[in-house]
Amino acid sequence: KKQLKMTERYKVCREHFPMEKSNNSKNNNGNKIDENKSSEADNKDELISFSELRQHNGPFDAWTLVNDKVLDITEFAKHHPGGEIILLSAGKDATVLFHSYHPRGHALPNAAMKKLQIGTIRHDPSIHNSYYNWDSPFYSTLRTRVVKHLISLNRPIRGNTDVQIKAALILACFWILLFKMCAASSLTFGLIWSILMGFVTHLIGTCIMHDG
C-alpha cells in the first residue's frame, strides 16, 4: 500500500512538473533564443542569503537549499512522492537529507528541479555551510556500491521488518528498565537498573536512529 501511494504521488508529481518545452524566439540578429532557458538563468543568478532562507520555514511558505540551489517547495510538498516529510527541510540546508533519502539518486526530473529553483544561496564566510565536500567522488561511489550490494542480497533499501522488530524490542527494554529504576527498593538496585537503562538508551541512537 505504501509503495502504491508513493507511485501515485510520483505520477501526480510528473503531471504537475512536466518536461518543459522550449519557447524559441529570435533576437535582433535573427538567432534563436530560448526564453525558458533565459528565465531559468535569471532565477539561478538571484542570490538569496541564509537569513532570508530561514524566514521561509513554514508549511505555507517553504524554501529549502539543495546543492547551493534555493528551492520553493511550498506547492511541491503536496505532490512529493515521499510525502510531506519534505517540509522538515523548510528554511534549512537540506543537501544532506536530499542525498541520504535518495540513495539511488533523486527520481525528480531535472525540469522539476529547475522549476522549483528560485535562486542560488549567497555564501557567508562567517557561516559554516557543511562538513562534507559534495564535489568529492567518495559519497557517490560509496552510495552506488551499497545499493548494488543490497540489491545482490535482495534486501530493501529502507530496511525490513527485522529493523522494526529490533526497534520495538529496544524501546520495550528502555521503558521496562526505566520503571525498574524508579521502583527500585534500594539505591543499589536503582543504580544497576539505571546503568542498564543507559546502555539501552545508547542503542536507541546507534540502532534505531542509525537504521532509520
Side-chain angles (χ1 to χ4, degrees), residues 3-17 79-82 106-109:
Q3 185 64 36
L4 180 61
K5 187 175 182 180
M6 291 182 65
T7 303
E8 291 175 350
R9 280 179 172 268
Y10 184 74
K11 289 180 180 178
V12 174
C13 172
R14 291 297 298 268
E15 291 175 358
H16 282 76
F17 296 91
H79 315 293
H80 180 231
H106 64 86
L108 187 64

PDB file of all heavy atoms in Angstrom, residues 3-17 79-82 106-109:
ATOM      1  N   GLN A   3       3.944   1.495  -1.125  1.00  0.00           N
ATOM      2  CA  GLN A   3       4.596   1.626  -2.427  1.00  0.00           C
ATOM      3  C   GLN A   3       3.614   2.158  -3.462  1.00  0.00           C
ATOM      4  O   GLN A   3       3.976   2.983  -4.310  1.00  0.00           O
ATOM      5  CB  GLN A   3       5.142   0.257  -2.864  1.00  0.00           C
ATOM      6  CG  GLN A   3       5.960   0.296  -4.153  1.00  0.00           C
ATOM      7  CD  GLN A   3       7.225   1.120  -4.001  1.00  0.00           C
ATOM      8  OE1 GLN A   3       7.847   1.118  -2.945  1.00  0.00           O
ATOM      9  NE2 GLN A   3       7.594   1.827  -5.052  1.00  0.00           N
ATOM     10  N   LEU A   4       2.351   1.701  -3.388  1.00  0.00           N
ATOM     11  CA  LEU A   4       1.330   2.167  -4.321  1.00  0.00           C
ATOM     12  C   LEU A   4       1.073   3.652  -4.133  1.00  0.00           C
ATOM     13  O   LEU A   4       0.933   4.402  -5.107  1.00  0.00           O
ATOM     14  CB  LEU A   4       0.036   1.375  -4.111  1.00  0.00           C
ATOM     15  CG  LEU A   4      -1.151   1.752  -5.018  1.00  0.00           C
ATOM     16  CD1 LEU A   4      -0.777   1.522  -6.477  1.00  0.00           C
ATOM     17  CD2 LEU A   4      -2.382   0.936  -4.645  1.00  0.00           C
ATOM     18  N   LYS A   5       1.028   4.093  -2.867  1.00  0.00           N
ATOM     19  CA  LYS A   5       0.791   5.503  -2.582  1.00  0.00           C
ATOM     20  C   LYS A   5       1.930   6.353  -3.121  1.00  0.00           C
ATOM     21  O   LYS A   5       1.701   7.423  -3.694  1.00  0.00           O
ATOM     22  CB  LYS A   5       0.658   5.700  -1.073  1.00  0.00           C
ATOM     23  CG  LYS A   5       0.245   7.115  -0.680  1.00  0.00           C
ATOM     24  CD  LYS A   5       0.002   7.205   0.808  1.00  0.00           C
ATOM     25  CE  LYS A   5      -0.451   8.610   1.192  1.00  0.00           C
ATOM     26  NZ  LYS A   5      -0.690   8.736   2.649  1.00  0.00           N
ATOM     27  N   MET A   6       3.176   5.884  -2.954  1.00  0.00           N
ATOM     28  CA  MET A   6       4.321   6.628  -3.468  1.00  0.00           C
ATOM     29  C   MET A   6       4.282   6.695  -4.995  1.00  0.00           C
ATOM     30  O   MET A   6       4.618   7.708  -5.593  1.00  0.00           O
ATOM     31  CB  MET A   6       5.624   5.977  -2.995  1.00  0.00           C
ATOM     32  CG  MET A   6       5.891   6.119  -1.513  1.00  0.00           C
ATOM     33  SD  MET A   6       7.461   5.396  -1.019  1.00  0.00           S
ATOM     34  CE  MET A   6       8.610   6.453  -1.902  1.00  0.00           C
ATOM     35  N   THR A   7       3.837   5.579  -5.637  1.00  0.00           N
ATOM     36  CA  THR A   7       3.740   5.552  -7.093  1.00  0.00           C
ATOM     37  C   THR A   7       2.703   6.549  -7.575  1.00  0.00           C
ATOM     38  O   THR A   7       2.918   7.259  -8.567  1.00  0.00           O
ATOM     39  CB  THR A   7       3.366   4.141  -7.577  1.00  0.00           C
ATOM     40  OG1 THR A   7       4.341   3.206  -7.105  1.00  0.00           O
ATOM     41  CG2 THR A   7       3.320   4.078  -9.095  1.00  0.00           C
ATOM     42  N   GLU A   8       1.568   6.613  -6.874  1.00  0.00           N
ATOM     43  CA  GLU A   8       0.519   7.566  -7.242  1.00  0.00           C
ATOM     44  C   GLU A   8       1.014   9.001  -7.080  1.00  0.00           C
ATOM     45  O   GLU A   8       0.757   9.858  -7.926  1.00  0.00           O
ATOM     46  CB  GLU A   8      -0.709   7.335  -6.369  1.00  0.00           C
ATOM     47  CG  GLU A   8      -1.420   6.014  -6.674  1.00  0.00           C
ATOM     48  CD  GLU A   8      -2.562   5.753  -5.719  1.00  0.00           C
ATOM     49  OE1 GLU A   8      -2.684   6.489  -4.724  1.00  0.00           O
ATOM     50  OE2 GLU A   8      -3.326   4.801  -5.959  1.00  0.00           O
ATOM     51  N   ARG A   9       1.746   9.274  -5.978  1.00  0.00           N
ATOM     52  CA  ARG A   9       2.295  10.607  -5.765  1.00  0.00           C
ATOM     53  C   ARG A   9       3.292  10.962  -6.857  1.00  0.00           C
ATOM     54  O   ARG A   9       3.360  12.099  -7.309  1.00  0.00           O
ATOM     55  CB  ARG A   9       2.977  10.686  -4.389  1.00  0.00           C
ATOM     56  CG  ARG A   9       2.014  10.880  -3.230  1.00  0.00           C
ATOM     57  CD  ARG A   9       2.796  10.927  -1.930  1.00  0.00           C
ATOM     58  NE  ARG A   9       1.963  11.289  -0.807  1.00  0.00           N
ATOM     59  CZ  ARG A   9       1.785  12.529  -0.375  1.00  0.00           C
ATOM     60  NH1 ARG A   9       2.378  13.517  -0.980  1.00  0.00           N
ATOM     61  NH2 ARG A   9       1.015  12.779   0.657  1.00  0.00           N
ATOM     62  N   TYR A  10       4.079   9.974  -7.274  1.00  0.00           N
ATOM     63  CA  TYR A  10       5.082  10.228  -8.315  1.00  0.00           C
ATOM     64  C   TYR A  10       4.407  10.589  -9.630  1.00  0.00           C
ATOM     65  O   TYR A  10       4.851  11.484 -10.353  1.00  0.00           O
ATOM     66  CB  TYR A  10       5.971   9.006  -8.497  1.00  0.00           C
ATOM     67  CG  TYR A  10       7.082   9.219  -9.491  1.00  0.00           C
ATOM     68  CD1 TYR A  10       8.179  10.005  -9.161  1.00  0.00           C
ATOM     69  CD2 TYR A  10       7.027   8.665 -10.764  1.00  0.00           C
ATOM     70  CE1 TYR A  10       9.204  10.224 -10.068  1.00  0.00           C
ATOM     71  CE2 TYR A  10       8.030   8.881 -11.675  1.00  0.00           C
ATOM     72  CZ  TYR A  10       9.124   9.656 -11.320  1.00  0.00           C
ATOM     73  OH  TYR A  10      10.117   9.869 -12.227  1.00  0.00           O
ATOM     74  N   LYS A  11       3.288   9.892  -9.953  1.00  0.00           N
ATOM     75  CA  LYS A  11       2.557  10.201 -11.174  1.00  0.00           C
ATOM     76  C   LYS A  11       2.000  11.616 -11.129  1.00  0.00           C
ATOM     77  O   LYS A  11       2.058  12.356 -12.104  1.00  0.00           O
ATOM     78  CB  LYS A  11       1.428   9.190 -11.373  1.00  0.00           C
ATOM     79  CG  LYS A  11       1.904   7.793 -11.743  1.00  0.00           C
ATOM     80  CD  LYS A  11       0.732   6.850 -11.933  1.00  0.00           C
ATOM     81  CE  LYS A  11       1.209   5.452 -12.312  1.00  0.00           C
ATOM     82  NZ  LYS A  11       0.062   4.510 -12.454  1.00  0.00           N
ATOM     83  N   VAL A  12       1.436  11.978  -9.971  1.00  0.00           N
ATOM     84  CA  VAL A  12       0.902  13.332  -9.809  1.00  0.00           C
ATOM     85  C   VAL A  12       2.010  14.358  -9.920  1.00  0.00           C
ATOM     86  O   VAL A  12       1.853  15.423 -10.516  1.00  0.00           O
ATOM     87  CB  VAL A  12       0.176  13.471  -8.448  1.00  0.00           C
ATOM     88  CG1 VAL A  12      -0.254  14.916  -8.216  1.00  0.00           C
ATOM     89  CG2 VAL A  12      -1.030  12.551  -8.392  1.00  0.00           C
ATOM     90  N   CYS A  13       3.173  14.010  -9.351  1.00  0.00           N
ATOM     91  CA  CYS A  13       4.332  14.903  -9.414  1.00  0.00           C
ATOM     92  C   CYS A  13       4.734  15.151 -10.862  1.00  0.00           C
ATOM     93  O   CYS A  13       5.004  16.280 -11.258  1.00  0.00           O
ATOM     94  CB  CYS A  13       5.494  14.286  -8.634  1.00  0.00           C
ATOM     95  SG  CYS A  13       7.057  15.159  -8.804  1.00  0.00           S
ATOM     96  N   ARG A  14       4.748  14.098 -11.660  1.00  0.00           N
ATOM     97  CA  ARG A  14       5.123  14.244 -13.066  1.00  0.00           C
ATOM     98  C   ARG A  14       4.098  15.082 -13.831  1.00  0.00           C
ATOM     99  O   ARG A  14       4.441  15.807 -14.759  1.00  0.00           O
ATOM    100  CB  ARG A  14       5.248  12.862 -13.735  1.00  0.00           C
ATOM    101  CG  ARG A  14       6.422  12.046 -13.233  1.00  0.00           C
ATOM    102  CD  ARG A  14       7.735  12.720 -13.548  1.00  0.00           C
ATOM    103  NE  ARG A  14       7.949  12.870 -14.957  1.00  0.00           N
ATOM    104  CZ  ARG A  14       8.593  11.986 -15.723  1.00  0.00           C
ATOM    105  NH1 ARG A  14       9.098  10.895 -15.179  1.00  0.00           N
ATOM    106  NH2 ARG A  14       8.748  12.199 -17.004  1.00  0.00           N
ATOM    107  N   GLU A  15       2.812  14.980 -13.414  1.00  0.00           N
ATOM    108  CA  GLU A  15       1.771  15.767 -14.070  1.00  0.00           C
ATOM    109  C   GLU A  15       1.917  17.254 -13.754  1.00  0.00           C
ATOM    110  O   GLU A  15       1.694  18.108 -14.605  1.00  0.00           O
ATOM    111  CB  GLU A  15       0.388  15.281 -13.629  1.00  0.00           C
ATOM    112  CG  GLU A  15       0.051  13.884 -14.151  1.00  0.00           C
ATOM    113  CD  GLU A  15      -1.260  13.385 -13.598  1.00  0.00           C
ATOM    114  OE1 GLU A  15      -1.877  14.105 -12.785  1.00  0.00           O
ATOM    115  OE2 GLU A  15      -1.666  12.264 -13.962  1.00  0.00           O
ATOM    116  N   HIS A  16       2.287  17.555 -12.507  1.00  0.00           N
ATOM    117  CA  HIS A  16       2.428  18.949 -12.094  1.00  0.00           C
ATOM    118  C   HIS A  16       3.757  19.555 -12.538  1.00  0.00           C
ATOM    119  O   HIS A  16       3.881  20.770 -12.636  1.00  0.00           O
ATOM    120  CB  HIS A  16       2.302  19.075 -10.572  1.00  0.00           C
ATOM    121  CG  HIS A  16       0.886  19.018 -10.099  1.00  0.00           C
ATOM    122  ND1 HIS A  16       0.173  17.835 -10.041  1.00  0.00           N
ATOM    123  CD2 HIS A  16       0.040  19.996  -9.690  1.00  0.00           C
ATOM    124  CE1 HIS A  16      -1.049  18.093  -9.594  1.00  0.00           C
ATOM    125  NE2 HIS A  16      -1.148  19.387  -9.371  1.00  0.00           N
ATOM    126  N   PHE A  17       4.752  18.702 -12.774  1.00  0.00           N
ATOM    127  CA  PHE A  17       6.076  19.199 -13.176  1.00  0.00           C
ATOM    128  C   PHE A  17       6.517  18.470 -14.444  1.00  0.00           C
ATOM    129  O   PHE A  17       7.456  17.683 -14.426  1.00  0.00           O
ATOM    130  CB  PHE A  17       7.102  18.985 -12.061  1.00  0.00           C
ATOM    131  CG  PHE A  17       6.790  19.754 -10.825  1.00  0.00           C
ATOM    132  CD1 PHE A  17       6.024  19.183  -9.820  1.00  0.00           C
ATOM    133  CD2 PHE A  17       7.233  21.048 -10.666  1.00  0.00           C
ATOM    134  CE1 PHE A  17       5.718  19.889  -8.669  1.00  0.00           C
ATOM    135  CE2 PHE A  17       6.931  21.761  -9.516  1.00  0.00           C
ATOM    136  CZ  PHE A  17       6.175  21.178  -8.527  1.00  0.00           C
ATOM    137  N   HIS A  79       2.742  17.103  -3.556  1.00  0.00           N
ATOM    138  CA  HIS A  79       2.883  16.076  -4.586  1.00  0.00           C
ATOM    139  C   HIS A  79       4.181  15.279  -4.448  1.00  0.00           C
ATOM    140  O   HIS A  79       4.464  14.432  -5.294  1.00  0.00           O
ATOM    141  CB  HIS A  79       2.827  16.723  -5.972  1.00  0.00           C
ATOM    142  CG  HIS A  79       1.736  17.745  -6.124  1.00  0.00           C
ATOM    143  ND1 HIS A  79       0.406  17.418  -6.097  1.00  0.00           N
ATOM    144  CD2 HIS A  79       1.791  19.101  -6.273  1.00  0.00           C
ATOM    145  CE1 HIS A  79      -0.323  18.512  -6.242  1.00  0.00           C
ATOM    146  NE2 HIS A  79       0.489  19.547  -6.341  1.00  0.00           N
ATOM    147  N   HIS A  80       4.957  15.574  -3.424  1.00  0.00           N
ATOM    148  CA  HIS A  80       6.232  14.885  -3.224  1.00  0.00           C
ATOM    149  C   HIS A  80       5.998  13.384  -3.055  1.00  0.00           C
ATOM    150  O   HIS A  80       5.203  12.979  -2.197  1.00  0.00           O
ATOM    151  CB  HIS A  80       6.928  15.458  -1.984  1.00  0.00           C
ATOM    152  CG  HIS A  80       8.245  14.820  -1.696  1.00  0.00           C
ATOM    153  ND1 HIS A  80       8.570  14.318  -0.455  1.00  0.00           N
ATOM    154  CD2 HIS A  80       9.328  14.589  -2.488  1.00  0.00           C
ATOM    155  CE1 HIS A  80       9.787  13.821  -0.488  1.00  0.00           C
ATOM    156  NE2 HIS A  80      10.270  13.969  -1.709  1.00  0.00           N
ATOM    157  N   PRO A  81       6.638  12.535  -3.860  1.00  0.00           N
ATOM    158  CA  PRO A  81       6.420  11.086  -3.777  1.00  0.00           C
ATOM    159  C   PRO A  81       6.664  10.515  -2.384  1.00  0.00           C
ATOM    160  O   PRO A  81       6.029   9.538  -1.984  1.00  0.00           O
ATOM    161  CB  PRO A  81       7.436  10.524  -4.791  1.00  0.00           C
ATOM    162  CG  PRO A  81       7.611  11.630  -5.779  1.00  0.00           C
ATOM    163  CD  PRO A  81       7.521  12.901  -4.983  1.00  0.00           C
ATOM    164  N   GLY A  82       7.569  11.130  -1.619  1.00  0.00           N
ATOM    165  CA  GLY A  82       7.861  10.643  -0.269  1.00  0.00           C
ATOM    166  C   GLY A  82       6.973  11.241   0.801  1.00  0.00           C
ATOM    167  O   GLY A  82       7.158  10.978   1.989  1.00  0.00           O
ATOM    168  N   HIS A 106      18.263  10.969  -7.061  1.00  0.00           N
ATOM    169  CA  HIS A 106      16.914  11.504  -6.981  1.00  0.00           C
ATOM    170  C   HIS A 106      16.108  11.177  -8.234  1.00  0.00           C
ATOM    171  O   HIS A 106      16.609  11.194  -9.352  1.00  0.00           O
ATOM    172  CB  HIS A 106      16.935  13.020  -6.747  1.00  0.00           C
ATOM    173  CG  HIS A 106      17.544  13.811  -7.853  1.00  0.00           C
ATOM    174  ND1 HIS A 106      16.820  14.216  -8.946  1.00  0.00           N
ATOM    175  CD2 HIS A 106      18.804  14.260  -8.034  1.00  0.00           C
ATOM    176  CE1 HIS A 106      17.601  14.893  -9.766  1.00  0.00           C
ATOM    177  NE2 HIS A 106      18.808  14.936  -9.244  1.00  0.00           N
ATOM    178  N   ALA A 107      14.824  10.839  -8.029  1.00  0.00           N
ATOM    179  CA  ALA A 107      13.933  10.490  -9.135  1.00  0.00           C
ATOM    180  C   ALA A 107      13.235  11.709  -9.714  1.00  0.00           C
ATOM    181  O   ALA A 107      12.519  11.611 -10.701  1.00  0.00           O
ATOM    182  CB  ALA A 107      12.890   9.476  -8.651  1.00  0.00           C
ATOM    183  N   LEU A 108      13.412  12.846  -9.094  1.00  0.00           N
ATOM    184  CA  LEU A 108      12.755  14.058  -9.555  1.00  0.00           C
ATOM    185  C   LEU A 108      13.387  14.510 -10.859  1.00  0.00           C
ATOM    186  O   LEU A 108      14.601  14.661 -10.949  1.00  0.00           O
ATOM    187  CB  LEU A 108      12.912  15.147  -8.503  1.00  0.00           C
ATOM    188  CG  LEU A 108      12.149  16.449  -8.727  1.00  0.00           C
ATOM    189  CD1 LEU A 108      10.655  16.187  -8.693  1.00  0.00           C
ATOM    190  CD2 LEU A 108      12.530  17.452  -7.662  1.00  0.00           C
ATOM    191  N   PRO A 109      12.585  14.749 -11.894  1.00  0.00           N
ATOM    192  CA  PRO A 109      13.149  15.170 -13.183  1.00  0.00           C
ATOM    193  C   PRO A 109      13.905  16.487 -13.050  1.00  0.00           C
ATOM    194  O   PRO A 109      13.561  17.334 -12.229  1.00  0.00           O
ATOM    195  CB  PRO A 109      11.906  15.350 -14.068  1.00  0.00           C
ATOM    196  CG  PRO A 109      10.844  14.539 -13.413  1.00  0.00           C
ATOM    197  CD  PRO A 109      11.140  14.577 -11.948  1.00  0.00           C
TER     198      PRO A 109
END
